Amino acid sequence: NAGVTQTPKFQVLKTGQSMTLQCAQDMNHNSMYWYRQDPGMGLRLIYYSASEGTTDKGEVPNGYNVSRLNKREFSLRLESAAPSQTSVYFCASNWDRQLQETQYFGPGTRLLVL
Amino acid sequence: SQQGEEDPQALSIQEGENATMNCSYKTSINNLQWYRQNSGRGLVHLILIRSNEREKHSGRLRVTLDTSKKSSSLLITASRAADTASYFCAYSNYQLIWGAGTKLIIKP
């Protein structure tokens, strides 16, 4: 099993450009999450999907959109990138958001917005 | 902010010594989790302790939870160079709240 995979691993964008970060899990998890990690801070939740067909805002959703394409895949889109979105983005998944048990993380996408 | 607080922010010890990291939180919780992050990598789950548990062990790891003080500690015994990483606590009530992490350096 690959666990949680993310693409791309690294991306450089210019201000105003758009891009989509891809995430897939092969553990048959119901819930998936997108986080950003900035230096000196813990993870901040951007969006989550408690189950296939549902998405909800997290702590810092502004400037982002998500799509739960199917049970395996959860994508994060930046419509018009800004330098403040320079960060490392992590996708995670677990069985059930309500239980808030162990989350499994992908390797991350490093995004630099110039 | 509900963000958990961890201390110390950074810790540097000699290989073979014990390392202790602390996490404090502000609300009632269902469970508290500890994760490790090696440089440039994703987070890896280490241990989960439920609100009705006081202590839990996993190999060289020992986690304690004091719900009256709203705090938890992670002890790594007999540290190794491979333990060099950042360690994060995350506590759950209706969502998972993350601490800012402790950067642990093990000197050979």
Side-chain angles (χ1 to χ4, degrees):
Chain A
N1 289 350
V4 180
T5 57
Q6 292 182 235
T7 56
K9 291 185 179 179
F10 183 72
Q11 184 73 46
V12 179
L13 291 178
K14 293 181 180 179
T15 297
Q17 288 185 319
S18 62
M19 77 163 295
T20 299
L21 284 66
Q22 306 286 355
C23 173
Q25 52 91 10
D26 62 2
M27 296 173 282
N28 202 35
H29 286 165
N30 291 312
S31 301
M32 298 184 74
Y33 310 83
W34 275 107
Y35 292 96
R36 61 179 287 173
Q37 184 180 35
D38 299 301
M41 300 186 72
L43 299 177
R44 291 187 292 169
L45 183 64
I46 305 171
Y47 271 93
Y48 66 93
S49 171
S51 60
E52 186 178 357
T54 69
T55 60
D56 285 286
K57 295 177 180 179
E59 181 185 356
V60 288
N62 291 345
Y64 306 95
N65 285 301
V66 290
S67 295
R68 183 75 182 265
L69 304 171
N70 48 55
K71 192 170 186 179
R72 291 187 63 247
E73 298 173 289
F74 188 37
S75 63
L76 177 72
R77 182 161 178 83
L78 287 70
E79 291 291 351
S80 179
S84 61
Q85 294 178 304
T86 292
S87 189
V88 182
Y89 292 84
F90 289 100
C91 177
S93 69
N94 65 3
W95 291 109
D96 187 333
R97 178 184 177 272
Q98 293 289 342
L99 297 176
Q100 283 304 340
E101 304 248 334
T102 301
Q103 292 191 8
Y104 296 83
F105 283 81
T109 294
R110 293 182 177 275
L111 176 65
L112 175 62
V113 183
L114 302 175
Chain B
S1 168
Q2 295 184 71
Q3 187 176 26
E5 295 181 5
E6 294 182 64
D7 78 274
Q9 289 185 331
L11 179 61
S12 180
I13 61 173
Q14 293 292 139
E15 193 169 19
E17 293 180 340
N18 295 341
T20 300
M21 289 157 270
N22 302 294
C23 172
S24 61
Y25 55 92
K26 299 177 181 178
T27 69
S28 60
I29 63 171
N30 297 321
N31 65 61
L32 188 142
Q33 305 170 33
W34 286 90
Y35 291 77
R36 183 186 71 229
Q37 183 180 34
N38 290 92
S39 181
R41 301 287 192 89
L43 282 77
V44 175
H45 180 259
L46 295 175
I47 201 163
L48 180 153
I49 187 165
R50 301 187 189 283
S51 59
N52 61 352
E53 297 176 309
R54 290 297 166 258
E55 188 170 311
K56 206 161 183 181
H57 297 255
S58 177
R60 294 183 295 111
L61 306 181
R62 187 184 81 149
V63 168
T64 60
L65 179 65
D66 187 335
T67 53
S68 66
K69 295 181 180 179
K70 291 187 168 55
S71 67
S72 174
S73 66
L74 170 66
L75 169 67
I76 303 174
T77 60
S79 63
R80 304 169 182 170
D83 295 328
T84 293
S86 292
Y87 292 82
F88 293 87
C89 70
Y91 64 91
S92 75
N93 43 36
Y94 66 95
Q95 60 179 335
L96 206 58
I97 307 297
W98 294 83
T102 293
K103 189 169 185 177
L104 176 63
I105 296 173
I106 308 299
K107 295 179 287 186

